[in-house]
Amino acid sequence: MMLDFALPACCCHGSPLVHGMTPQQTPLPPPAKRLVLFVADGLRADSLYELNSNSTPPAPYLRSILENNGSWGISHTRVPTESRPGHVALIAGFYEDVSAVAKGWKENPVEFDSVFNESKYTWSWGSPDILPMFAKGATGDHVYTFCYTAESEDFGAQDAAELDMWVFDHVKSFFNSSRSNQTLFSALNEEKVVLFLHLLGIDTNGHAHRPNSREYKENIKKVDEGIKEIALMIDNFYGNDGKTTFILTSDHGMTDWGTHGAGHPSETLTPLIVWGAGVNYPQRVSSQKFEDNLLKEWKLENLKRLDVSQADVAPLMASLIGVPFPLNSVGTLPLEYLNNSAHFKAESMFTNAVQIVEQFKVKMSQKRETTLSFLFTPFKPLSDSEQINYLKKARLYIQQQKYDEAESTVLFYGFAFVGMIIAFFLLIQTCPWTYYIYCLLPVPVWYAVVKELPVIQDLAANLLSHNMVQSVGFIFICILGIEILVFSFFYRSTLTLGLLVFAGWPVITQLWAQAKTNASIWTLLCVLLAIFPLMPVVGREPNIPLVIATGLLTLLISCFSLASLCKTKNKYRNKEDLKVYFYQMLSIALSTYVVSSTHDSLKNKQGLPLLNQIISWMTLVSSSVLPLLSSTFLIQRLFSILLSLMSTYLLLSTGYEALFPLVLSGLMFVWINMEQEALQRYGLSLKPKLAVFNFTYATDITQFRQLHLDDVRRSFFFVFFIVTAFFGTGNIASVNSFDPASVYCFLTVFSPFMMGSLLLLKVVIPFVLVSCAFEAIQVTTQLSSKSLLLLVLVISDIMALHFFFLVKDYGSWLDIGTSISHYVLVMSLTIFMMLMNGLAQLLTTQRLQLSRGTKHHST
């Protein structure tokens, strides 16, 4: 802010703003429920982005956000670079109304629409010179202002940063008071909510002490700390639901001598940092083309800079929370800030275009009415017919999904033609129907691969960016890893060797120093899991006490987890979630009891008790339903899946194999944490709490980042764990590795189909646990499932090709049968993993709502 001087009223011209337009809103669900707008008045772009003389950032928290968790750029303002027109451009989307000169640039003489007006509720804190003008023009009673006194804006005050501390303190008090005010609490939990924090201290210190002063810089640091505290508080208040978007920007900059109002770059270049729901993660690039040399000065050459005009921020905010675009906005939606589907982006741009066309139509109509007919000449490129034509074409393209599928049409017909040629040759040779399946199946598979060609190209480019030694070494390690997987089909002990190598992964990659606790647990669990492939799969004696001990251990872990969940003071939990966990713990306890009771009954020749049989079948049925009733937050849903599957697995266990899914799941949980550490190490993402991630919010989100070589390692880990789950305690290839006693809790009367189905379920349960963990990896690493699955399929196909050359047509029937069964297993594994991926998505993303009256915050 600075002192403004009114010009004579005779200088005033008519307002360019028009009224009578129809509000335009994107029809698709928005990514965010609420938006927090921080406007640091008078903050220059270079003052925020440029490092200090000791190479430390002036605002450490905001620097970490733009480097790891959000998108950034420069917001270009227009003259006059004053506070009121700057805020109008940001929040209403249009630039200075020349008629405001009659009001000394302090308020707009004509009513206007804004994002605040279109919101469900807006709460704002800050200067009495800024906030009232947005509440004044709002329709209805939903824009609330909290201002300090005008006398507080004292250039001679000892510390103008107290103005910003006043804002931060009052926001904290506001949220604290809502916990005892049900009306306010309910309003805060509505959608389309805006929280606006106007921070005037930096501007005041700039006027009083100049932008290069110690006071100005210290004020920036205090604002940075305040924003960090507010962001953390808001995330905790809403249970880290991932539905909050944050924006930090400024209304104008300031000259070195402490003034603003003109068009010097120090006045027109302001920072813009956006993070949270619906916002793209940082995009790393090798080079950028800008006329200025600012990126090098700011040490931000490798992070994509996304510049916008100041008025573009308004449609960005409207799109993120799903409110109509401000009627008078002339801003263009900056698509590169959005992390959403192509459909959402297309619909948002269409809405933006229609909203601007609406203004043009009203303005042209007014011009026609006030101009002599023979002097009025319409703008031909935007005549009524041309407008209709443009909008019809755009709508048609969206309906036909032309935004990302136009190039796949030719590809489809090409592969269809290849398929027809193959079918024709098979037909004229009168081949059996099995030949058709064998020869035609690769056609759709390769069609899917070619459609994802850009993914492969990205990975190849990443590999070639390394030096020759590193590239050759990487390829050698990949081949060695695949060979270990192939050998595991012949020697189960090979899996032990692989798991011991996995145990040393944190040390090899230096993740040990970064996360010692997680790395230690990872190593311990890898060693424990490595024991199972060494255990016998045939001829073993039942060990019911070990099964009971496993049940009690699972129950103990559940109690600790439930107690931890009950202590959390946020909305990760509600009463319905706690009930589900309690039922699952009860199911574990009942399964443990049934195993013990059934064993004792059979040992005493008393048969299978009817009650035990009923409990077993009820447990089996409920295990597929209970996870779908739990919260879809990542850790909670995974834990719920484990409890449900463990209750069934215990009933199917007779010995040491009961421990296998428990140890495997523990390793999967640590794997998810370790991947977070790996992402942070390579600078691909900030390491947020896993509790932030929600399976539901991750669906229909476009790829956040390109493939990295480490993603090949992730895919290999998945395939290795799948093979370990398959051979860990027994496998379908050797039916005699299963003890019929495994199904005695369900039935004792010989029934091959029923017993075989139950044994198959026992084999599938570890697969499901690994697949759900891999689904979580896809969510937390912010990579599309298509990309990672493509790598998985490539690895498994290379294994299948290896086994194809190992198929024998000579020797004993056992050798021939074994070689064929291995090939068929690996070929089936490829399809099976795709099915497991679909099942994992179903188990992790879907939720059944049994009570309509209860409001769930987790989905």
Side-chain angles (χ1 to χ4, degrees):
M1 301 282 294
M2 70 172 293
L3 295 177
D4 301 309
F5 299 92
L7 296 179
C10 60
C11 296
C12 178
H13 297 279
S15 171
L17 297 186
V18 293
H19 298 83
M21 291 79 70
T22 305
Q24 302 295 325
Q25 181 177 347
T26 304
L28 298 178
K33 289 184 178 179
R34 66 201 71 90
L35 182 140
V36 184
L37 174 63
F38 301 98
V39 177
D41 203 307
L43 177 61
R44 292 164 40 153
D46 60 345
S47 297
L48 181 66
Y49 293 143
E50 190 171 354
L51 300 178
N52 295 324
S53 56
N54 58 359
S55 297
T56 60
Y61 174 71
L62 291 173
R63 182 77 176 200
S64 71
I65 289 293
L66 72 87
E67 288 182 347
N68 302 296
N69 212 37
S71 294
W72 76 283
I74 292 176
S75 172
H76 296 265
T77 70
R78 291 189 183 179
V79 292
T81 48
E82 304 288 354
S83 288
R84 191 204 59 77
H87 280 84
V88 170
L90 288 170
I91 300 165
F94 66 88
Y95 297 104
E96 185 51 67
D97 183 348
V98 294
S99 61
V101 68
K103 301 286 185 177
W105 308 115
K106 285 186 175 292
E107 63 177 275
N108 202 309
V110 181
E111 289 188 3
F112 59 90
D113 191 22
S114 70
V115 174
F116 294 176
N117 184 44
E118 297 292 354
S119 68
K120 184 70 176 289
Y121 294 106
T122 291
W123 288 276
S124 56
W125 296 264
S127 168
D129 294 335
I130 297 298
L131 305 190
M133 70 173 172
F134 292 103
K136 178 182 177 182
T139 56
D141 184 22
H142 68 282
V143 179
Y144 304 97
T145 62
F146 302 91
C147 306
Y148 38 71
T149 62
E151 290 75 19
S152 302
E153 302 173 13
D154 185 358
F155 290 171
Q158 291 183 350
D159 188 4
E162 290 301 318
L163 297 175
D164 300 335
M165 297 303 105
W166 184 97
V167 171
F168 293 136
D169 291 342
H170 278 70
V171 173
K172 294 174 186 175
S173 300
F174 175 78
F175 274 88
N176 289 333
S177 67
S178 71
R179 299 185 185 277
S180 57
N181 184 334
Q182 187 58 43
T183 303
L184 177 57
F185 184 82
S186 299
L188 281 169
N189 280 280
E190 293 282 353
E191 297 181 351
K192 301 175 172 51
V193 167
V194 177
L195 303 168
F196 171 41
L197 283 70
H198 175 235
L199 307 170
L200 184 60
I202 294 174
D203 183 84
T204 306
N205 269 320
H207 288 310
H209 305 286
R210 308 296 182 264
N212 292 318
S213 65
R214 175 180 57 83
E215 290 82 0
Y216 186 88
K217 294 177 180 179
E218 286 184 354
N219 202 152
I220 293 175
K221 188 174 182 180
K222 288 182 179 179
V223 165
D224 179 67
E225 293 170 352
I227 290 175
K228 179 180 180 180
E229 292 175 3
I230 294 297
L232 181 62
M233 179 200 69
I234 290 175
D235 280 341
N236 289 335
F237 181 85
Y238 289 106
N240 290 282
D241 63 356
K243 287 291 188 178
T244 308
T245 302
F246 299 92
I247 295 180
L248 176 281
T249 188
S250 176
D251 51 350
H252 56 74
M254 186 172 290
T255 62
D256 289 341
W257 49 94
T259 64
H260 56 81
H264 190 273
S266 62
E267 300 168 88
T268 60
L269 302 185
T270 60
L272 177 62
I273 303 176
V274 190
W275 71 99
V279 180
N280 253 329
Y281 277 59
Q283 302 174 53
R284 301 193 178 276
V285 294
S286 56
S287 63
Q288 302 184 67
K289 294 181 180 179
F290 285 95
E291 293 182 0
D292 55 52
N293 197 36
L294 297 176
L295 287 170
K296 188 174 181 180
E297 293 176 9
W298 299 340
K299 301 294 189 293
L300 291 171
E301 308 99 306
N302 297 325
L303 287 174
K304 191 169 185 180
R305 170 178 149 189
L306 306 174
D307 284 14
V308 301
S309 296
Q310 194 172 43
D312 298 343
V313 177
L316 175 63
M317 292 192 292
S319 175
L320 287 167
I321 60 173
V323 300
F325 286 33
L327 294 175
N328 300 110
S329 172
V330 296
T332 302
L333 180 64
L335 285 180
E336 288 191 284
Y337 276 86
L338 296 181
N339 173 31
N340 215 310
S341 64
H343 187 195
F344 181 87
K345 293 179 180 178
E347 287 285 3
S348 299
M349 282 300 293
F350 183 81
T351 303
N352 192 186
V354 172
Q355 170 258 325
I356 293 176
V357 167
E358 283 286 316
Q359 293 184 70
F360 172 78
K361 288 163 68 175
V362 173
K363 187 68 178 177
M364 187 173 66
S365 176
Q366 290 181 355
K367 194 70 175 176
R368 181 185 288 115
E369 292 173 0
T370 57
T371 307
L372 294 175
S373 58
F374 65 89
L375 293 177
F376 178 77
T377 304
F379 184 59
K380 290 183 180 180
L382 280 179
S383 63
D384 291 344
S385 59
E386 287 296 325
Q387 290 178 34
I388 295 172
N389 187 35
Y390 286 139
L391 295 179
K392 275 187 176 180
K393 279 185 178 180
R395 173 51 61 194
L396 181 64
Y397 287 149
I398 292 174
Q399 290 174 348
Q400 295 177 345
Q401 300 184 355
K402 290 292 182 67
Y403 34 79
D404 60 356
E405 303 221 354
E407 70 280 2
S408 67
T409 305
V410 176
L411 198 61
F412 173 79
Y413 286 115
F415 274 88
F417 178 73
V418 171
M420 290 173 61
I421 294 296
I422 294 173
F424 174 74
F425 278 107
L426 293 174
L427 182 64
I428 61 177
Q429 297 181 69
T430 62
C431 294
W433 63 270
T434 52
Y435 280 49
Y436 287 85
I437 296 176
Y438 189 82
C439 294
L440 291 175
L441 189 59
V443 175
V445 172
W446 277 105
Y447 170 64
V449 170
V450 174
K451 278 183 67 177
E452 299 297 322
L453 192 60
V455 175
I456 301 172
Q457 291 173 335
D458 290 341
L459 186 61
N462 198 309
L463 179 62
L464 294 174
S465 65
H466 295 76
N467 61 50
M468 183 63 70
V469 176
Q470 288 178 321
S471 299
V472 173
F474 178 80
I475 295 172
F476 173 76
I477 291 173
C478 290
I479 295 173
L480 181 62
I482 293 175
E483 288 301 312
I484 290 175
L485 288 176
V486 171
F487 267 88
S488 68
F489 278 70
F490 300 96
Y491 310 101
R492 290 174 65 241
S493 58
T494 308
L495 294 174
T496 298
L497 177 63
L499 286 166
L500 292 178
V501 173
F502 280 14
W505 168 55
V507 178
I508 297 170
T509 58
Q510 298 180 348
L511 282 174
W512 179 273
Q514 182 177 325
K516 290 184 179 178
T517 302
N518 282 333
S520 301
I521 299 173
W522 166 270
T523 301
L524 174 62
L525 291 175
C526 280
V527 172
L528 288 177
L529 194 64
I531 298 172
F532 287 92
L534 299 177
M535 302 292 282
V537 294
V538 292
R540 62 182 183 229
E541 291 294 323
N543 190 343
I544 300 303
L546 184 56
V547 179
I548 296 171
T550 303
L552 295 176
L553 178 61
T554 306
L555 201 58
L556 183 64
I557 294 172
S558 304
C559 290
F560 278 115
S561 300
L562 188 63
S564 176
L565 186 64
C566 290
K567 289 180 181 178
T568 56
K569 297 180 180 179
N570 52 45
K571 294 174 198 167
Y572 289 146
R573 61 176 176 87
N574 55 42
K575 291 182 179 179
E576 296 301 318
D577 294 337
L578 296 180
K579 286 180 182 178
V580 173
Y581 296 130
F582 177 76
Y583 291 144
Q584 291 179 314
M585 290 171 61
L586 180 62
S587 180
I588 293 287
L590 287 173
S591 295
T592 306
Y593 165 77
V594 167
V595 170
S596 176
S597 174
T598 301
H599 174 73
D600 291 341
S601 180
L602 294 176
K603 188 177 181 180
N604 297 327
K605 307 295 184 182
Q606 295 175 351
L608 173 61
L610 179 61
L611 178 62
N612 289 10
Q613 189 176 23
I614 293 173
I615 292 174
S616 297
W617 285 106
M618 288 180 64
T619 300
L620 176 61
V621 174
S622 65
S623 65
S624 61
V625 177
L626 284 176
L628 301 179
L629 298 175
S630 65
S631 166
T632 53
F633 279 104
L634 188 142
I635 295 297
Q636 294 185 41
R637 175 54 67 94
L638 290 180
F639 190 65
S640 177
I641 292 170
L642 169 62
L643 292 182
S644 286
L645 296 182
M646 271 302 295
S647 62
T648 300
Y649 201 87
L650 286 171
L651 295 171
L652 294 168
S653 299
T654 60
Y656 73 84
E657 80 273 16
L659 276 169
F660 181 71
L662 195 61
V663 177
L664 180 66
S665 296
L667 186 59
M668 294 299 99
F669 276 105
V670 181
W671 182 30
I672 296 168
N673 280 278
M674 291 297 289
E675 293 298 356
Q676 285 292 97
E677 300 290 349
L679 273 184
Q680 188 184 31
R681 173 172 175 75
Y682 287 107
L684 297 175
S685 174
L686 184 67
K687 190 190 77 174
K689 293 181 180 179
L690 287 176
V692 171
F693 293 103
N694 190 311
F695 282 112
T696 304
Y697 301 153
T699 56
D700 293 327
I701 296 297
T702 53
Q703 182 175 325
F704 288 149
R705 60 177 178 82
Q706 294 180 340
L707 276 175
H708 189 270
L709 287 184
D710 211 34
D711 296 316
V712 178
R713 193 260 315 150
R714 291 185 182 93
S715 301
F716 176 77
F717 272 25
F718 172 62
V719 177
F720 189 94
F721 287 135
I722 282 287
V723 174
T724 302
F726 190 70
F727 288 110
T729 58
N731 63 81
I732 303 171
S734 54
V735 179
N736 65 346
S737 66
F738 293 108
D739 187 351
S742 297
V743 301
Y744 283 172
C745 289
F746 294 89
L747 74 164
T748 53
V749 178
F750 182 68
S751 174
F753 177 78
M754 191 61 68
M755 287 182 169
S757 299
L758 289 171
L759 292 176
L760 181 62
L761 175 63
K762 185 178 180 180
V763 174
V764 167
I765 284 176
F767 284 142
V768 175
L769 294 173
V770 175
S771 298
C772 289
F774 192 59
E775 182 70 19
I777 296 292
Q778 295 170 24
V779 172
T780 57
T781 57
Q782 308 299 344
L783 195 64
S784 70
S785 58
K786 285 183 180 180
S787 300
L788 285 178
L789 265 181
L790 182 62
L791 293 176
V792 168
L793 294 179
V794 168
I795 294 171
S796 57
D797 279 349
I798 293 174
M799 289 174 59
L801 188 63
H802 197 121
F803 279 109
F804 177 76
F805 288 104
L806 292 177
V807 171
K808 296 180 179 180
D809 58 356
Y810 58 89
S812 68
W813 283 106
L814 179 61
D815 292 338
I816 295 172
T818 301
S819 66
I820 294 175
S821 66
H822 283 162
Y823 174 65
V824 172
L825 276 173
V826 177
M827 289 294 292
S828 303
L829 196 63
T830 302
I831 301 173
F832 185 70
M833 281 191 289
M834 295 176 69
L835 294 176
M836 283 294 103
N837 181 69
L839 178 60
Q841 287 189 356
L842 175 69
L843 286 175
T844 54
T845 61
Q846 300 302 312
R847 185 173 190 185
L848 299 177
Q849 301 284 3
L850 298 182
S851 174
R852 294 184 180 180
T854 304
K855 183 176 180 181
H856 296 283
H857 296 283
S858 59
T859 56

